[in-house]
Amino acid sequence: MKHLPFNPPITLNDDEILKESASFYQWMEARRSLRFFSSRPIERQVIENLIMTASTAPSGANKQPWTFCAVSSPIIKKRIREAAEEEEYRSYNGRMSQEWLEDLAPFGTDWQKPFLEIAPWVIVIFRRGYELEKNGHKHPNYYVNESVGLACGVLLTAIHQLGLVALTHTPSPMDFLTKILKRPVNEKPFLLIPVGFPAEEATVPNIIRKSKEEVLIWFE
Ligand code: IYR
């Protein structure tokens, strides 16, 4: 592959880098997962911009092993909600361990997922384990979970940057999404992310993020 000169998109001095890193940290510190959405619409072009931003993420051998389904259709959102709630009902009533339920109790989650209908958009991310060639050969993708996870991280950052909110939701199992969204056999659901404005009465659990002493080890 031909290599091209790299033109840095921005050049800051040391002082500016220090200031920017602190203010971006402060901004990201304010990001929260939200379960309470307003039904206020968001323009399709905004969602397209967010998804194309996510699709700039690095990926194994640049295979970009992801597909984003952007759903605003009330009929499809309802189908997704009903199928998710059916699975979640079973999870909360027998499939999840006591230990898991106890870990979740402070968050106040349950099997009901009204946000899947209320949020103006539900983005469903699929991982492409391999590419299916015309002759039937399954050409592998690499580091698929890492790549798709990175793309979702970029997506959440881009959503937060607009003052919009999201929830990383993982109804389990998620196979119903493959059927509802008619995805091919080489795609498996990875995450479901409702996106919208926060509801006026939205609340968030009082979580504490780990301190630098807990997450950061220096080797200088
Ligand atoms: N998928 C369920 C349960 C759930 C699991 C974890 I780990 C969470 O951090 C939150 C919820 C649900 O969405 O309710």
Side-chain angles (χ1 to χ4, degrees), residues 162-175:
L162 299 176
L164 301 175
V165 292
L167 178 69
T168 42
H169 179 39
T170 51
S172 173
M174 285 200 277
D175 335 348

Side-chain angles (χ1 to χ4, degrees), residues 17-203:
I17 289 174
L18 185 58
K19 272 203 201 112
E20 286 299 319
S21 65
S23 77
F24 193 65
Y25 164 42
Q26 217 173 20
W27 174 246
M28 289 308 292
E29 174 62 30
R31 189 202 56 78
R32 295 298 308 261
S33 292
L34 219 71
R35 291 181 175 75
F36 306 101
F37 290 81
S38 150
S39 58
R40 181 175 160 191
I42 294 174
E43 267 184 62
R44 185 181 197 273
Q45 186 62 50
V46 172
I47 298 301
E48 183 175 312
N49 292 340
L50 287 170
I51 289 173
M52 294 318 292
T53 302
S55 197
T56 66
S59 63
N62 190 36
K63 295 290 184 182
Q64 305 165 59
W66 45 65
T67 301
F68 298 83
C69 290
V71 182
S72 66
S73 152
I75 295 168
I76 301 177
K77 284 196 297 183
K78 185 163 187 279
R79 251 183 246 154
I80 292 175
R81 176 187 177 177
E82 285 170 356
E85 287 186 337
E86 210 176 301
E87 293 295 357
E88 291 291 274
Y89 184 85
R90 284 196 220 145
S91 294
Y92 278 88
N93 293 281
R95 285 202 295 225
M96 284 151 82
S97 66
Q98 203 48 42
E99 211 171 20
W100 192 350
L101 291 170
E102 279 164 23
D103 272 341
L104 282 182
F107 299 94
T109 59
D110 62 25
W111 62 271
Q112 295 182 80
K113 307 296 171 192
F115 52 77
L116 292 174
E117 278 191 272
I118 297 169
W121 291 93
V122 172
I123 300 177
V124 187
I125 299 97
F126 288 85
R127 71 190 291 291
R128 295 171 69 94
Y130 56 90
E131 300 300 323
L132 205 47
E133 289 174 358
K134 285 205 180 75
N135 61 9
H137 175 67
K138 294 177 180 177
H139 194 106
N141 287 327
Y142 312 97
Y143 300 101
V144 174
N145 286 335
E146 291 84 347
S147 303
V148 183
L150 285 162
C152 290
V154 175
L155 178 62
L156 294 176
T157 307
I159 291 167
H160 178 59
Q161 187 252 338
L162 299 176
L164 301 175
V165 292
L167 178 69
T168 42
H169 179 39
T170 51
S172 173
M174 285 200 277
D175 335 348
F176 64 87
L177 292 165
T178 310
K179 285 190 207 120
I180 294 174
L181 300 171
K182 301 188 172 77
R183 300 314 304 153
V185 289
N186 61 328
E187 290 191 8
K188 300 281 173 245
F190 185 80
L191 265 185
L192 197 160
I193 305 186
V195 183
F197 288 90
E200 262 176 46
E201 68 283 9
T203 59

